[in-house]
Amino acid sequence: MAEVTFRIQRCDPEQDGKPYFKEYGFDVPEGFTLLDSLNHIKAYIDDSLTYRFSCRSSICGSCGMRVNGHAKLTCMTQVMDVLRPDGSITIEPQGNQTIQRDLMVDTSLFWEKMRAVKPWLEPDPKKGVPEKEYRQDPAVFNSFVEESTCIMCGNCVSDCTSLEQDANFRGPAALAKAWRFDVDDRGGDQQQRLEMLVEDGGIWDCVRCNECVEVCPKTVAPMEAILKLRQAALERGLTNSIGARHVTVFTDSVTRAGVLDEKELPAKSLGVGNLGKLIGALPLAFTGMVKGKISPLPHKPIPGTEDLQRIRREIEKEATE
Amino acid sequence: MKVAYFPGCVARGNCPELNQATREIAPLLGIELVELEGAPCTGAGVIGQQNPLLADTYNAKTLALAEAEGVPLMTLCSTCIGCLRKSNYKLTHDEDWLSQVNKHLKPGGLEYHGGVDITHILFVILNELGVDNLKGMVKRPLSGLRVAPFYGCYMLRPQEIMGLDDPEHPDSLQRVITALGGEPVEYAHMTRCCGFPITLENEEASFKMAGAALGDAKDHGADCLVTPCPLCHMSLDMQQSRITKYTQRTYNMPVLHLPQLVGLALGVEPLKLGLQKHFVDTDLVTSTVVH
């Protein structure tokens, strides 16, 4: 038993709709999950508390909430594991979505973004419809088995840093699902989907903060799926974007000199189509030079750059063989 | 203690004051820096998007060089440590991958066997020197200075690979700030992203991320930020005036590199720590500490 104070965010849209915190305290028995605790509060202390849950077994993905500021499935989180030193636990609804009531959010944004990446198999029009069922190659299945474990709980969407600042971002869950269908060789529309994903709000807008990897209760690691989509875009010729140019200029710079040329990178990544952005950054470069931070000279190459060039040559040659 | 020194591109490029400050404080802390000849950029997670084998081979080269020295590899950057540890994790958990990488390293006279300890000056200070010893070295306590830590994503996440601090409620920077006599300021954004990786791709979202952190720290009464990551420094210091365009807020928030904050408390002159090179004036910090 431990005395725990639960600081729970409440919100009643029928009143003024402004979120506020209410505290509930009770002696929590050993082995209680956060969901057990919410159920206890609802049953014995305050039956007006509203939240969503179903399976209690981390399968349905309904009970995702922010616990001490980070998204978790409450059914698989032990109270003692998240108890703060002052004996409290703060529970809020998931982020990046509209609150319906208390700890329950409107999931329509999640599903809209999911549907937009066309998470289903479209047959290849050139091949036509097969006479029998599509067969799945086990090796191909194993290449996206981790992404297939997604239970659509929305924890990654809740804590996504890019989505927090740009509602246009497709978000980690939808992009991980897109990777799962991109690599599935039974589909026939992979290139069209990928062309859609390299546009603004797509794969190049992920900030690579690893928040989604950390809060995923399964083994999806959405950010890693986004990185694989970026590699696929580069390999399949979708290179006309700032993000794609950024990768190629970066790799070339390090291969050539062993260090990143920070002056070359913005100019070549932005390209002539983004001259305005480049001009906008010029005062920063000027101030940096005046302050003695930015040298007008290029980086001095590290010793042994010919070895880096040999390594790259060999790896790229091997890949084409 | 002796460490293989990996300053990274930014400490030798747009943030030379980080390299300068580290070289000032290393002898005071008893850290001997062994230079690594020929260690390339970590790829910052970017090269791996084009070619994961190339990225891990470049990083294995650095790790093999450190392995030959028989000492831990010390970085100054959350991104550098994150990328090197990510490569090292795969190399030490996947024998096939290690042998593929070594096949390309060997013609250059190197081979990596796995298991190099990859650390950061923050953890050299905490784990090797210890906060009590650090406290004993302080000549100019940061009394009255409210310092907001800003960790940088890769220092904390993913926990499975990093494992150096609690990714949700870290305290390593706060422990250093306290040992130096300062007052740590805790705020929700201290573990979040500075926005740097998408500065070119999506300037507005990137700057709003940085603005959210600066605003949160300011709202919690911080006098300055301290970061173990020069990429975060570039977003939070060098871009600070440009962030205002998107957030309609001014911050006037000095952002110090960790070795600069340590150096100030150890009595090193601000000029030697390169504080005059910052975009945001650091006079508020130096006047509080030096007097």
Side-chain angles (χ1 to χ4, degrees):
Chain A
M1 284 277 199
E3 195 181 327
V4 177
T5 302
F6 293 90
R7 281 184 76 241
I8 297 181
Q9 185 174 306
R10 305 294 307 266
C11 176
D12 184 355
E14 286 165 15
Q15 298 296 319
D16 63 358
K18 280 187 186 164
Y20 62 97
F21 282 93
K22 196 166 176 184
E23 293 191 354
Y24 303 91
F26 69 96
D27 287 335
V28 177
E30 201 177 325
F32 248 43
T33 64
L34 285 178
L35 182 58
D36 292 334
S37 306
L38 291 173
N39 287 343
H40 177 94
I41 292 166
K42 189 167 178 70
Y44 300 108
I45 305 175
D46 185 345
D47 65 1
S48 70
L49 181 64
T50 304
Y51 52 98
R52 188 184 280 120
F53 78 100
S54 181
C55 77
R56 310 175 197 220
S57 307
S58 61
I59 293 168
C60 74
S62 301
C63 68
M65 297 169 206
R66 269 190 174 162
V67 179
N68 297 328
H70 302 270
K72 293 187 190 303
L73 281 190
T74 52
C75 71
M76 65 182 286
T77 306
Q78 288 285 317
V79 168
M80 294 310 157
D81 288 347
V82 292
L83 193 59
R84 301 299 298 145
D86 66 355
S88 78
I89 296 172
T90 301
I91 306 179
E92 298 162 276
Q94 286 184 333
N96 289 332
Q97 292 151 101
T98 312
I99 300 170
Q100 284 183 317
R101 195 183 188 100
D102 296 339
L103 300 170
M104 196 170 91
V105 294
D106 179 356
T107 58
S108 54
L109 177 131
F110 177 93
W111 294 110
E112 275 166 29
K113 287 187 180 293
M114 187 60 78
R115 269 193 296 273
V117 301
K118 296 169 71 178
W120 54 77
L121 294 170
E122 290 273 4
D124 185 343
K126 286 179 213 148
K127 289 182 190 164
V129 180
E131 288 178 12
K132 292 183 176 176
E133 75 277 16
Y134 284 101
R135 301 300 295 271
Q136 175 72 79
D137 180 339
V140 176
F141 174 73
N142 284 333
S143 67
F144 61 76
V145 68
E146 302 296 351
E147 289 81 4
S148 300
T149 62
C150 177
I151 56 170
M152 315 275 185
C153 67
N155 276 359
C156 60
V157 165
S158 161
D159 286 16
C160 173
T161 319
S162 286
L163 196 57
E164 194 172 282
Q165 303 300 345
D166 181 4
N168 187 42
F169 182 50
R170 291 183 180 275
L175 289 172
K177 190 59 76 183
W179 162 253
R180 177 251 173 275
F181 281 96
D182 185 75
V183 81
D184 191 328
D185 60 353
R186 295 170 300 173
D189 64 340
Q190 278 91 338
Q191 191 69 8
Q192 287 155 279
R193 186 187 290 107
L194 197 54
E195 282 170 11
M196 182 173 77
L197 300 181
V198 298
E199 299 295 328
D200 283 353
I203 54 174
W204 297 109
D205 286 59
C206 164
V207 78
R208 294 190 286 125
C209 65
N210 270 305
E211 293 273 10
C212 60
V213 176
E214 205 58 37
V215 300
C216 176
K218 297 293 176 180
T219 54
V220 180
M223 188 197 87
E224 296 296 333
I226 295 169
L227 299 185
K228 287 187 265 190
L229 282 169
R230 289 183 179 183
Q231 192 182 346
L234 292 164
E235 286 171 357
R236 283 156 40 194
L238 300 173
T239 53
N240 186 23
S241 65
I242 296 171
R245 285 192 293 273
H246 184 231
V247 175
T248 50
V249 174
F250 197 115
T251 308
D252 291 348
S253 172
V254 173
T255 304
R256 187 180 63 245
V259 287
L260 178 65
D261 187 333
E262 295 153 316
K263 287 175 280 295
E264 175 192 58
L265 188 73
K268 287 193 174 173
S269 301
L270 290 170
V272 286
N274 293 288
L275 211 56
K277 279 190 184 177
L278 194 59
I279 291 167
L282 285 178
L284 177 128
F286 180 73
T287 309
M289 285 182 198
V290 171
K291 293 262 184 186
K293 263 176 94 71
I294 299 177
S295 163
L297 304 170
H299 268 313
K300 191 180 158 200
I302 64 166
T305 50
E306 61 284 353
D307 191 44
L308 301 177
Q309 289 144 24
R310 173 195 60 78
I311 290 169
R312 182 169 178 187
R313 244 186 347 263
E314 283 180 11
I315 287 175
E316 289 182 348
K317 186 173 170 230
E318 203 173 76
T320 57
E321 283 169 358
Chain B
M1 85 173 284
K2 201 187 259 193
V3 295
Y5 183 46
F6 188 88
C9 299
V10 182
R12 289 176 296 186
N14 284 353
C15 292
E17 70 280 3
L18 172 58
N19 192 15
Q20 181 186 344
T22 304
R23 291 182 186 281
E24 285 291 334
I25 66 163
L28 303 177
L29 299 173
I31 302 172
E32 186 183 339
L33 305 176
V34 180
E35 307 289 337
L36 280 187
E37 286 267 307
C41 165
T42 65
V46 177
I47 296 178
Q49 294 169 34
Q50 177 168 331
N51 193 324
L53 181 60
L54 182 67
D56 284 347
T57 308
Y58 283 177
N59 283 335
K61 179 168 183 172
T62 300
L63 298 173
L65 289 167
E67 193 175 38
E69 295 290 341
V71 293
L73 181 67
M74 187 185 85
T75 66
L76 303 177
C77 167
S78 299
T79 303
C80 290
I81 188 175
C83 292
L84 287 164
R85 283 178 84 102
K86 189 176 178 183
S87 290
N88 195 44
Y89 186 87
K90 195 166 177 191
L91 292 166
T92 50
H93 286 79
D94 184 341
E95 278 185 29
D96 274 356
W97 193 249
L98 180 63
S99 73
Q100 280 187 67
V101 161
N102 272 329
K103 191 177 97 182
H104 297 294
L105 273 188
K106 278 177 186 167
L110 288 168
E111 183 174 1
Y112 183 52
H113 301 90
V116 163
D117 180 20
I118 305 159
T119 186
H120 184 285
I121 191 166
L122 169 61
F123 294 100
V124 171
I125 290 171
L126 282 176
N127 302 336
E128 302 302 327
L129 182 66
V131 282
D132 289 339
N133 286 331
L134 178 65
K135 210 171 174 178
M137 293 174 173
V138 171
K139 291 188 177 150
R140 247 180 347 216
L142 308 181
S143 311
L145 193 68
R146 292 174 56 80
V147 186
F150 190 83
Y151 281 86
C153 300
Y154 302 116
M155 187 69 108
L156 303 170
R157 296 180 292 269
Q159 188 177 26
E160 190 182 355
I161 291 173
M162 298 312 292
L164 295 162
D165 204 340
D166 180 341
E168 294 184 358
H169 305 285
D171 68 354
S172 43
L173 281 170
Q174 292 92 307
R175 286 163 60 207
V176 171
I177 295 164
T178 305
L180 300 177
E183 187 185 336
V185 175
E186 298 208 1
Y187 60 113
H189 278 81
M190 70 180 182
T191 62
R192 304 223 72 193
C193 184
C194 70
F196 180 81
I198 56 166
T199 310
L200 296 173
E201 288 86 349
N202 190 340
E203 181 180 288
E204 181 173 352
S206 167
F207 285 6
K208 281 180 174 174
M209 287 174 204
L214 290 165
D216 195 8
K218 199 174 176 78
D219 292 344
H220 282 78
D223 297 319
C224 67
L225 257 65
V226 66
T227 181
C229 181
L231 305 186
C232 296
H233 185 270
M234 286 203 283
S235 261
L236 299 166
D237 173 71
M238 291 172 74
Q239 304 282 17
Q240 202 175 110
S241 63
R242 299 179 74 208
I243 291 166
T244 299
K245 174 180 155 192
Y246 295 108
T247 62
Q248 282 76 52
R249 200 173 166 185
T250 51
Y251 304 97
N252 297 321
M253 182 66 71
V255 184
L256 271 65
H257 300 287
L258 176 66
Q260 291 176 319
L261 192 76
V262 174
L264 276 177
L266 296 190
V268 182
E269 287 313 302
L271 208 61
K272 288 187 174 173
L273 298 167
L275 284 161
Q276 73 286 359
K277 292 182 179 170
H278 289 209
F279 277 40
V280 179
D281 201 330
T282 56
D283 279 357
L284 171 77
V285 177
T286 48
S287 60
T288 306
V289 176
V290 177
H291 303 115

